[in-house]
Amino acid sequence: MSIARTPEPPYTAVIFTSLRTPGDQGYARMAARMEELARLQPGFLGIESAREGLGITVSYWSDDAAAAAWKQVHEHVVAQDRGREVWYADYEVRVATVTRAYGARDGERG
């Protein structure tokens, strides 16, 4: 696990916040597959994820069109359906345009 290294803004961030249902029920395997598949998509820039009770996954995309295309990938659609039916007690998706970014490794860019 590492912090995603993204290019200079602007780019798109898809923020997925969730509360899980009890038990795995195939979740870990599907989550790993979705990350693997996302990395193969045009416009994918990186991903960060953390879970301790509340789960937050942020995927970064070159633009809104790339993020929207990822939402329509067949295997991802299947995972979304399974999430609504089995894995998530609650969730929220937020799509944002990153206009400024900076960090310790790059020095302060913003």
Side-chain angles (χ1 to χ4, degrees), residues 1-83:
M1 180 73 68
S2 63
I3 295 174
R5 297 298 166 204
T6 52
E8 289 292 323
Y11 51 86
T12 298
V14 177
I15 305 147
F16 179 72
T17 308
S18 64
L19 293 172
R20 287 280 321 278
T21 56
D24 182 79
Q25 302 178 58
Y27 177 82
R29 187 172 49 143
M30 183 65 88
R33 173 62 183 149
M34 288 303 99
E35 183 172 339
E36 175 186 299
L37 187 59
R39 290 181 184 282
L40 300 174
Q41 302 309 304
F44 177 83
L45 301 175
I47 191 167
E48 299 162 338
S49 187
R51 176 169 293 286
E52 189 165 322
L54 180 71
I56 301 174
T57 298
V58 183
S59 59
Y60 299 99
W61 301 89
S62 57
D63 53 34
D64 282 344
W70 165 238
K71 183 172 175 37
Q72 301 304 317
V73 171
H74 177 72
E75 276 188 77
H76 188 211
V77 171
V78 170
Q80 292 168 58
D81 290 345
R82 183 96 170 128

